[in-house]
Amino acid sequence: MAATILVVEDEPAIQELILYNLRSAGYIALCADSAERASAMINDVLPDLVLLDWMLPKMSGIDFARLLRRDSRTKSVPIIMLTARVDESDKVAGLEVGADDYVTKPFSPRELVARIKAVLRRRLPEVSDEVLDIGGLRLDPTTHRVTLSDEKEAIQPREISLGPTEFRLLHFLMAHSERVYTRAQLLDKVWGDHVFVEDRTVDVHIRRLRKALEVAEKDDLIQTVRGTGYRFSIRCEVSTS
């Protein structure tokens, strides 16, 4: 689940530098040279993070950040401000409108990528490449493998075979362990907010995921919260029937 990053920057040389380094780091990188163009792109594809230059033509980056934070669809999308402004008051202004971090120009591409990884790990753990090990399951996003982590004596840990949708679903639920999500929320987070399918599609894939985990007796980790939705939990107080 490579993260999609929208770069909003009007200087071509800086655009090229950022896009090259983001793509080299494994991200899906999109680019807009104005707030207006970025807004149109967001209508088509909701990014996982916005890297936003302060000084843009027409609408400034700070004003665009305010718009993103006022819109229910984009209010939780992480924002990193990118600017030549170094005054403390400017940094405070960027953070006060809802930016998650602030990077000043000139910047090190390695530092920028590290900052992006840190924000994504904190705000969107399901798009991180961090290995998750919970409840006897070990999920590795990089190798796209799920294995039993509690097989201490096994030379080769047993691998659980999952389809791509079931893998994404498990990754999201494990990354947000103990939190309950409705079907609509799971559709937005796992399938994407521009995919129009019925809520019951989630039930079908939950059943497939449980069936795959049943072989390892781990299906009880995917729990139904009656009248609400689903969660991943190591606590066994809720029936999954």
Side-chain angles (χ1 to χ4, degrees), residues 36-85:
E36 293 77 15
R37 174 62 179 154
S39 182
M41 293 177 71
I42 288 173
N43 284 335
D44 293 330
V45 178
L46 186 66
D48 295 302
L49 181 143
V50 175
L51 185 61
L52 180 59
D53 184 33
W54 186 306
M55 300 298 291
L56 293 170
K58 297 183 181 179
M59 183 186 295
S60 71
I62 202 80
D63 287 335
F64 186 51
R66 288 192 183 98
L67 287 181
L68 293 177
R69 287 292 174 256
R70 286 201 293 263
D71 190 322
S72 61
R73 183 167 170 265
T74 58
K75 66 180 180 181
S76 62
V77 174
I79 300 172
I80 297 180
M81 298 297 298
L82 184 63
T83 178
R85 294 172 179 259

Side-chain angles (χ1 to χ4, degrees), residues 110 194 208:
R110 289 182 61 187
H194 271 62
R208 290 178 183 172

Side-chain angles (χ1 to χ4, degrees), residues 57 159 162:
E159 186 171 341
L162 295 176

